[in-house]
Amino acid sequence: MKEYDYLIVGAGLWGSIFAHEANNRGKKCLVIDRRTHTGGNIFCENVEGINVHKYGAHIFHTNDKEIWDYVNSFVEFNRYTNSPVANFNGELYNLPFNMNTFYQLWKVRTPEEAKEKIRQQVEEAGITDPKNLEEQAISLVGTDIYEKLIKAYTEKQWGRKATELPAFIIKRLPVRFTFDNNYFNDRYQGIPIGGYNKLTEGLLKNIEVRTGVDFFENREEFTNIAETIVYTGPIDEYFGFQFGQLEYRSLRFDNQLLDQENYQGNAVVNYTDGETPFTRIIEHKHFEFGTQPKTVITHEYPQEWVKGAEPYYPVNDDKNTAVFNQYKELAAQEENVIFGGRLAEYRYYDMHQVVGSALKKVKTHFS
Ligand code: FAD
């Protein structure tokens, strides 16, 4: 008999949910994380009473009532609605593209006028077979929206010219002919009241957790400590990078504490011009309708990923997919190891998808 039933490597959302559910089923769990805190990428740092989303702005949204009820059973969520604003050389536009945006762009007041404007621009561009992202975007929404709100932002995000990016990246562009600035179409959205750490703390209540502990520093000991390992770290690292390293797109966050109450009046402002080097400024207090005397803002800079940097967005191109599939085959052969979460599955997951995926695994594993 080993000391624990489960060793959970990674105290992010996926690992925390698995640990919670296993613990509820009477299993003895140990959760470790190499970071000095739990929560993984949803962790918030408290600065002057403001929850600062340390690894990027996180807004929970889902259409699934079960998932919504599940997270709300640990902490109540507020009514935050994501309605970003775009700043193009000082001109402000509402997002996603909706009647407010069209009025700001063209002073059109009715859906018919807006549709006609877009139709004219798409027709003038005359693109029938889009060969790259630029042509694809123009063929969908016309030149004005593309030039002011898509082009430079996308180029900054990907670090490449829009004409060098494949058309398939943009399959469709949501255009809304109502005065509705709500970014998500999902039925439920919000931020945990008191911050995301409350969600993690609720999940990990009564479970042994060790932070600042790397699985690979004591791999043998950890492998022998539990009957089953639940691994939520990078899959290539688990297998010693034997097929090469999986690539990511990374971000750099520059946080500033400002001695003023309200910097930009909105949680998210996108900078869609080509001169500004960052893509967004996040003002964290607005996620929770904060009234603190100070404020914290974060400039977000997309950047290439280098070894050792935080892996943020997987690059799911053919090359990386082929490498991942090799690791996946090895993972299927590992006995008593469960792989889960964004790093082990090398895929972008929104939080509601992580909840869904972890609960699904729990269901099959314990049935
Ligand atoms: P993680 O949170 O990464 O947890 C994995 C944990 O494993 C980490 O804490 C890591 O330290 C630990 N670990 C790895 N290797 C080891 C090891 N060897 N030993 C010990 N510990 C280890 N989703 C939304 O729904 N809405 C949003 O608005 C949103 N915004 C996002 C913004 C950004 C910039 C990014 C990158 C993601 C965003 N997401 C958002 C997605 C969300 O962050 C993820 O869905 C979720 O955090 C993934 O949880 P996870 O447990 O799979 O991974």
Side-chain angles (χ1 to χ4, degrees), residues 170-215:
I170 297 185
K171 287 198 183 72
R172 49 179 208 101
L173 282 166
V175 181
R176 211 179 266 165
F177 295 96
T178 52
F179 290 90
D180 180 5
N181 297 328
N182 181 355
Y183 193 78
F184 296 117
N185 290 319
D186 286 342
R187 191 156 160 207
Y188 309 102
Q189 68 175 302
I191 305 283
I193 296 174
Y196 282 96
N197 298 358
K198 296 237 182 242
L199 173 60
T200 315
E201 284 157 18
L203 284 163
L204 294 175
K205 202 172 158 193
N206 301 326
I207 296 172
E208 189 180 339
V209 179
R210 297 185 204 160
T211 53
V213 173
D214 191 329
F215 173 72

Side-chain angles (χ1 to χ4, degrees), residues 24-44:
N24 269 0
R25 287 162 175 78
K27 305 295 180 194
K28 194 174 174 199
C29 297
L30 170 63
V31 179
I32 59 167
D33 202 297
R34 63 178 163 203
R35 289 177 176 167
T36 54
H37 57 75
T38 58
N41 276 5
I42 66 172
F43 172 73
C44 292

Side-chain angles (χ1 to χ4, degrees), residues 84-87 92 264 266-271 279-283:
V85 168
N87 183 324
L92 297 185
Q264 62 185 17
N266 205 33
V268 183
V269 177
N270 292 0
Y271 282 75
T279 44
R280 312 198 289 181
I281 297 182
I282 306 297
E283 187 169 12

Side-chain angles (χ1 to χ4, degrees), residues 12 19 39 42-43 51-52 54 59 85 117 229 250 262 266 270 342 356 360:
I42 66 172
F43 172 73
N51 285 312
V52 175
K54 193 173 159 76
I59 301 141
V85 168
K117 197 88 189 163
I229 294 174
S250 199
N262 190 354
N266 205 33
N270 292 0
R342 69 179 192 103
K360 194 171 160 202

Side-chain angles (χ1 to χ4, degrees), residues 99 102 106 108-125 140-145 175 177:
M99 285 303 296
F102 307 143
W106 306 310
V108 293
R109 291 175 173 78
T110 65
E112 276 318 306
E113 288 174 296
K115 280 181 190 167
E116 180 53 22
K117 197 88 189 163
I118 292 173
R119 195 196 58 74
Q120 272 173 13
Q121 293 196 1
V122 168
E123 193 180 292
E124 270 163 36
L140 290 169
V141 289
T143 35
D144 285 350
I145 297 177
V175 181
F177 295 96

Side-chain angles (χ1 to χ4, degrees), residues 9-15 32-35 39-42 55-59 61 213-216 232-234 251 253 312-313 341-343 348-352 354:
V9 181
L13 192 53
W14 208 100
I32 59 167
D33 202 297
R34 63 178 163 203
R35 289 177 176 167
N41 276 5
I42 66 172
Y55 302 96
H58 278 72
I59 301 141
H61 57 97
V213 173
D214 191 329
F215 173 72
F216 296 110
T232 72
L251 290 170
F253 300 113
Y312 282 112
Y313 299 109
R342 69 179 192 103
L343 297 166
Y348 180 80
Y349 267 138
D350 265 332
M351 289 178 282
H352 63 285
V354 167

